[in-house]
Amino acid sequence: MRRTNRRARPAAGAVVAALVLAGCAGEGPAEDRVEAGPPPVTADIDCAGSGRVQGSGSTAQQNAMRHWIDQYQRACPGVRIAYNPVGSGAGVAQFLRGATAFGGTDSALGEQDVKISRTFCAGGRAIDLPMAGGPVALGYHLPGVDGLVLDAPTLAAIFDSRITVWDHPDIRRLNPGVRLPELAITAVHRSDDSGTTQNLNAYLSGAAGDDWPYEAKKAWQAKGGHSAAGSDGVASAVAATQGAIGYVELSFAATRKIDTVRIDTGAAEPVAPSAETASRGIAQAKVVGRGNDMKLEFDHGTSAAGAYPIVLVTYEVVCDTGNDPANLPALKSFLAYTAGEEGQKLLPTIHYAPLPESVALRVRKIVAALS
């Protein structure tokens, strides 16, 4: 690999735009998807000389991946990176078929996934590498209502169709002095298997207890509601529907200027989703994976001041050994950048939370050892 510190080349920027937007085909107008990001920066990156790396998966990380790819290819024009945001379930499935070099997912691999991976990760297995954090925001569309507060039991009742109007007594109790409309609630959930869904299920199961009788799975299980594909689809449905509420990664809500719920966790003040409050929540996570697997376990019931409780980490799933030797240097170079200081410091500018430094350091060591 060679270290480079160069300004963006227009041709490289055009190539990455084509690759990423091609991966997003069928998800709606590009202007609805692309978030205005920070201006190009000088990136100090250990570049591979050549290679092509295809990834797919989590829509929650697609805005981070778009900026990462842009910055990487501005510095390393000899490498081509593409990412298709098809959802966590589909991304893991494509990786386990050997169709991609890495899969992006908002939830760690299951035991069966690891077992399948041993058939093509020659001499090894698939591992989870945390790469970006962030809050799962509850976006809502209620004109005239700012700073809406909800808690876990109330959210559970809304998404399970037991609270169906916005002026319900339980919502009024959490929002004293707020004039809530006599309007039906349209609760929007993901139609595709989603790590974001799994993380919301995990939060509600942990914080709402018996009020949420569903398992922390990628597939939606609760009663009623409306469905949409991908984080883009949920954000679009909420933005277009008065009375709607849905769950998305924060950058999607910020891009569309969708109001977000503050969560009553039992702390002195309700907590709004942000990169800072999500970082406080993620910092309480434990590494529970074995060996080089970096699966994290969150404390969804936290009442720590300023800690947002509905958080996720997006993982890049790779083989610890048995990777395609022709493109392995490019894969390692790109992941070393995203987990490194350059890649992580970009995240708060686009509404993501960087990894705790202790986690990021370990991820970098594992990436360096991939074979």
Side-chain angles (χ1 to χ4, degrees), residues 143-161:
V145 178
D146 298 322
L148 182 71
V149 176
L150 297 173
D151 60 11
T154 307
L155 282 166
I158 287 172
F159 279 102
D160 203 23
S161 300

Side-chain angles (χ1 to χ4, degrees), residues 7-59:
R7 292 284 179 182
R9 294 183 179 181
V15 170
V16 71
L19 284 169
V20 176
L21 294 179
C24 298
E27 292 191 346
E31 63 270 21
D32 288 344
R33 296 193 313 270
V34 178
E35 179 185 357
V41 298
T42 300
D44 187 18
I45 297 173
D46 283 332
C47 291
S50 63
R52 301 181 69 88
V53 177
Q54 174 70 51
S56 68
S58 164
T59 63

Side-chain angles (χ1 to χ4, degrees), residues 50-51 322-332 371:
S50 63
N323 292 283
D324 174 14
N327 294 306
L328 178 60
L331 174 66
K332 292 173 67 172
S371 63

